Amino acid sequence: MKNGEKKILSEKVADMLRAKIINGELQADSRIIESDVAKCMEVSRGPVREALKILEFEGLVTYESNKGCRVTNLSMEDAYEVFFLRGNLEIMALRQAGGRLPDTSLLTMRSYLEGMERAQKDKNLLQMVQMDELFHREIVSAGNMKRLVRMWESLSPLNGAMFLKVNDTFELREGETAEEIFGNYRRGDEAHKLLLEKLSGIDLESAVLCLRNHYVQTGERIYKIESRRRLLKKTL
């Protein structure tokens, strides 16, 4: 098999596994057995191994020596760091753009928001991830700074893992109340509607604050919720 064909096969396998993980068909801590995936996809184990490397880079699986691969999600520390960095990069781009995106970008973002709404209605988390990526790319591109965009893109592979972490963290557990978990947190298309509204205005600081809340405060809330759960688990 040629290298190019192997790469195409590994990408197809990665796409299939990524969809299963993000849409919840493969739960956290589930084992992924190379031979089973190879048989299911009718490929050799080589492309499967390459696909798992891709997913490990994206934070969706973890490889352990002598144990193989398992589905994972971001730790609270990693989640906070990714949210913090990605949010601040977009804030930098927004300030560079003067706080106002071109009308063409706003129109494009509205179409992506509609895509999010359809995906949320269909419970298609993978499509939500894809629409979210395109939505936020318009913000970071507005700054017209190529290096800043490349820095932002270096975090893009983790976007699916970020969505999984958000869903896992904000799922109510026994003994928890909606108020202490959600607070004033806005989810999914609701949060993006508010963000688009602020980006369509003329108040730079209002848009920056909304973007900061969208990312940084979400990362902080995840950290606080997970820290409290860890502490409670230790005391039980």
Side-chain angles (χ1 to χ4, degrees), residues 4-15:
E5 293 175 346
K6 183 177 180 180
K7 182 178 180 181
I8 291 173
L9 283 176
S10 64
E11 289 173 350
K12 287 182 178 179
V13 175
D15 287 345

Side-chain angles (χ1 to χ4, degrees), residues 81-217:
E81 185 174 326
V82 173
F83 275 92
F84 180 87
L85 292 173
R86 185 164 166 136
N88 278 286
L89 287 171
E90 290 185 28
I91 288 171
M92 290 170 63
L94 183 58
R95 287 193 182 280
Q96 186 68 15
R100 184 67 165 82
L101 274 61
D103 289 341
T104 52
S105 291
L106 293 171
L107 185 62
T108 300
M109 291 168 74
R110 195 169 301 281
S111 70
Y112 295 144
L113 179 56
E114 291 171 357
M116 284 186 211
E117 292 171 343
R118 289 193 297 272
Q120 192 162 7
K121 183 178 179 181
D122 296 339
K123 297 182 179 180
N124 187 334
L125 189 57
L126 181 59
Q127 188 179 354
M128 280 283 292
V129 172
Q130 294 167 344
M131 292 295 102
D132 175 87
E133 184 75 8
L134 293 170
F135 181 97
H136 285 277
R137 181 175 291 276
E138 293 294 324
I139 300 174
V140 78
S141 298
N144 290 315
M145 299 179 72
K146 293 180 181 179
R147 288 180 177 81
L148 191 153
V149 172
R150 285 200 292 270
M151 292 172 68
W152 182 87
E153 287 176 339
S154 71
L155 299 169
S156 292
L158 293 167
N159 202 21
M162 288 167 65
F163 263 76
L164 287 178
K165 186 62 180 178
V166 167
N167 279 2
D168 179 67
T169 299
F170 290 98
E171 182 179 342
L172 285 177
R173 312 287 170 84
E174 185 177 354
E176 295 177 338
T177 66
E179 178 61 27
E180 65 184 352
I181 296 301
F182 294 108
N184 61 353
Y185 175 69
R186 295 172 180 263
R187 302 190 70 179
D189 62 339
E190 183 184 354
H192 288 86
K193 281 179 182 177
L194 177 62
L195 182 53
L196 185 57
E197 176 187 325
K198 297 298 183 182
L199 292 171
S200 301
I202 58 174
D203 186 345
L204 170 59
E205 293 309 316
S206 179
V208 166
L209 179 60
C210 187
L211 192 52
R212 185 177 300 280
N213 291 343
H214 186 77
Y215 275 118
V216 182
Q217 286 196 359

Side-chain angles (χ1 to χ4, degrees), residues 61-77:
V61 303
T62 301
Y63 177 80
E64 296 181 54
S65 182
N66 300 320
K67 292 184 179 180
C69 272
R70 290 184 180 275
V71 178
T72 188
N73 58 28
L74 291 177
S75 68
M76 67 181 193
E77 294 86 358

